[in-house]
Amino acid sequence: MTKRKLLLVTISLLLAAVLSAQEKSSTAQEMYRPQFHFSPREHWMNDPNGLIFYKGVYHIFFQYYPEATVWGPMHWGHATSTDLFHWKELPIALYPDTLGYIFSGSAVVDAKNTSGFGKDGKTPLVAIFTYHNPVLEKAKRKDFQYQGLAFSLDDGMTWTKYAGNPVLPNPGITDFRDPKVSWYAPQQKWIMTLATKDRISFFGSKNLKQWEKLSEFGLQLGAHSGVWECPDLMEMDYQGRKTWVLLVSINPGGPNGGSATQYFLGNFDGIQFTPTDTATRWIDFGTDNYAGVSFFNSGNRKIFLGWMSNWQYATQVPTLQWRSAMTIPRTLSLKSAAGKLYLASSPVTEMKVIKGKSITEANITSPVNYLVAAHQKNENGLFQLDLDLTAANNFSILLDNETGEKLVIGFDHTSNKYYIDRSKSGVTSFEAGFAKKHFAPRLSTGNSISISLVFDQASVELFADDGLTVMTDVVFPKNRYTALRISTEKGTIVRQLQYTILKSSIQ
Ligand code: FRU
């Protein structure tokens, strides 16, 4: 290379670096922009799709409309990360075609090349998604949703749609969508868990291309005041005992209104899901964790990611360049409380990559408006607060600012409930039901309460009692909450308080 050429290349590389740094900082500075939750740089996003871990990389795909900040003809957006917090947004993975919009679905590593999509020894990744055909829908037909496939031979970077689509035609049901596919080793076959209006239908396949119906579940069980969507079937372990978990999102009909995700515990024999009891359980009692599912191929742990919004107001929230974010990735586990089994969620351990300085205080007795001084010094305002308290009485955690906006997270001892009160949290007027106080039962019965609160610019995630009770709520404060205070009532002691600064992971 000549000196002149070298100079030109160096200048253009420097320019590209400067431009990308500028883009990064301008994105980071946008009003309400989540700093460590994934959000698309621009435009509309809903459900996480095709969550998959492969060759050291986490891929997320997502329902995406690249032309507006409201829902429209769906594509699959794409982002990757090696640590679940620093995400790189990539070109759109799947575009709508003559068969329809690309609705939600999943992705698998077809390690045995059962599909035959593999070539020259390359392992195919296969995406299984719902086609939603707007023409058939308009014509008032019932069969406008059916399932299709796409595959990737370059480790998930580009995708080719299968020429034989659709692989699972519609039998005449208006809601026939959101396939989540997993490998059932005992019978060497794929299982598709599909949302079919008011129940879940299971299908089986040896090659991902031909599917046979196996069974149905749930018509008489669980919450039913909305349509069932985005299921996930997972085998988990509780103290050496295998338990199957079936996630089912429902909209509307959540415990605090609008969209939410319930789950069932039971057994699955390769054909049928048999629940262990008839209880309705919720993975998250907040209003902003919907359509969440687990990653395929994530090793021994189940990693869950949800859409941090709610159909009740998702298209009205006051963000400008984009709409919505994902929850922080969570590790799922089974935990027992009062003799009953529950699905608990906790932030993934990778969260350490965004953790900054931390301070610890011990034995704060009967504080009233106890000011956490470290928060005032924390310029970006992002933090995790871990409290270890006695469960004797009420307590509250108050975030507020000079303009009178406040967000309160607390525990009501009499009703034995946790709550998040966002009624005066900032901008709330965009939808009548947004300014509310949300409640969640305390499931743990111990004498101590543990709280982990994760706060980003526009969201709060509460993990109580080691993730037995979870609440996720979005908020839109016009100004940063500059003060963080803790109050407890007589008898409650904060045994330990840990305040950790969190860092932005926008790149
Ligand atoms: C859930 C959902 C899915 C559907 C997708 C469409 O939020 O309604 O059932 O596939 O969104 O974007």
Side-chain angles (χ1 to χ4, degrees), residues 201-212:
S201 299
F202 295 101
F203 294 82
S205 173
K206 290 279 180 194
N207 57 12
L208 294 164
K209 291 173 173 163
Q210 275 114 23
W211 294 91
E212 62 160 330

Side-chain angles (χ1 to χ4, degrees), residues 372-390:
V372 182
H375 182 65
Q376 261 147 330
K377 295 185 212 125
N378 176 6
E379 274 168 25
N380 70 12
L382 317 175
F383 68 91
Q384 175 171 335
L385 178 70
D386 293 296
L387 297 180
D388 170 10
L389 311 108
T390 51

Side-chain angles (χ1 to χ4, degrees), residues 44-49 63-64 71-76 101-105 130 132 145 175 177-179 195 227-231 249 251 259 290-291 307 311:
W44 170 268
M45 174 178 84
N46 57 287
D47 316 358
N49 297 149
Q63 289 288 278
Y64 189 52
W71 192 90
M74 284 290 113
H75 301 53
W76 273 25
Y101 305 158
I102 315 295
F103 270 25
S104 287
T130 298
H132 175 102
Q145 293 181 341
D175 297 280
R177 60 177 177 267
D178 309 339
V227 67
W228 282 22
E229 299 184 315
C230 299
S249 282
N251 178 52
S259 327
Y290 192 61
W307 175 46
W311 283 115

Side-chain angles (χ1 to χ4, degrees), residues 1-33:
M1 202 184 289
T2 63
K3 266 193 182 163
R4 197 184 134 79
K5 258 194 181 157
L6 191 68
L7 190 69
L8 277 176
V9 169
T10 314
I11 290 174
S12 51
L13 282 176
L14 277 174
L15 205 65
V18 169
L19 285 176
S20 117
Q22 267 175 1
E23 199 181 353
K24 172 190 159 164
S25 80
S26 69
T27 301
Q29 275 153 27
E30 285 162 4
M31 185 84 168
Y32 309 128
R33 173 64 81 176

Side-chain angles (χ1 to χ4, degrees), residues 214-401:
L214 303 172
S215 64
E216 288 183 354
F217 165 79
L219 188 54
Q220 314 286 349
L221 276 180
H224 272 284
S225 34
V227 67
W228 282 22
E229 299 184 315
C230 299
D232 192 359
L233 177 71
M234 299 174 280
E235 187 183 21
M236 293 185 66
D237 181 280
Y238 178 68
Q239 299 186 339
R241 209 174 69 222
K242 298 270 169 247
T243 297
W244 288 79
V245 180
L246 178 62
L247 302 181
V248 178
S249 282
I250 171 175
N251 178 52
N256 282 292
S259 327
T261 302
Q262 59 183 324
Y263 67 92
F264 302 90
L265 301 178
N267 191 26
F268 184 73
D269 61 3
I271 308 265
Q272 198 130 31
F273 179 82
T274 313
T276 15
D277 59 32
T278 56
T280 301
R281 295 171 168 88
W282 301 96
I283 194 167
D284 191 320
F285 288 83
T287 42
D288 297 285
N289 177 359
Y290 192 61
V293 286
S294 64
F295 277 82
F296 186 89
N297 198 37
S298 62
N300 288 333
R301 47 176 190 163
K302 291 274 176 257
I303 305 174
F304 168 96
L305 192 70
W307 175 46
M308 197 159 60
S309 195
N310 190 313
W311 283 115
Q312 193 179 307
Y313 44 72
T315 58
Q316 290 148 270
V317 296
T319 53
L320 287 178
Q321 294 84 350
W322 83 102
R323 271 216 178 89
S324 90
M326 297 300 177
T327 64
I328 52 167
R330 300 163 183 194
T331 305
L332 301 179
S333 63
L334 291 169
K335 291 207 167 108
S336 156
K340 245 174 106 176
L341 215 52
Y342 293 96
L343 187 62
S345 325
S346 326
V348 290
T349 51
E350 282 85 347
M351 202 169 155
K352 63 177 187 288
V353 301
I354 58 158
K355 285 188 177 169
K357 254 177 62 192
S358 174
I359 61 110
T360 306
E361 294 175 41
N363 290 323
I364 312 165
T365 35
S366 303
V368 176
N369 281 333
Y370 180 86
L371 200 64
V372 182
H375 182 65
Q376 261 147 330
K377 295 185 212 125
N378 176 6
E379 274 168 25
N380 70 12
L382 317 175
F383 68 91
Q384 175 171 335
L385 178 70
D386 293 296
L387 297 180
D388 170 10
L389 311 108
T390 51
N393 211 333
N394 304 335
F395 67 81
S396 59
I397 302 159
L398 173 73
L399 276 159
D400 67 359
N401 59 29

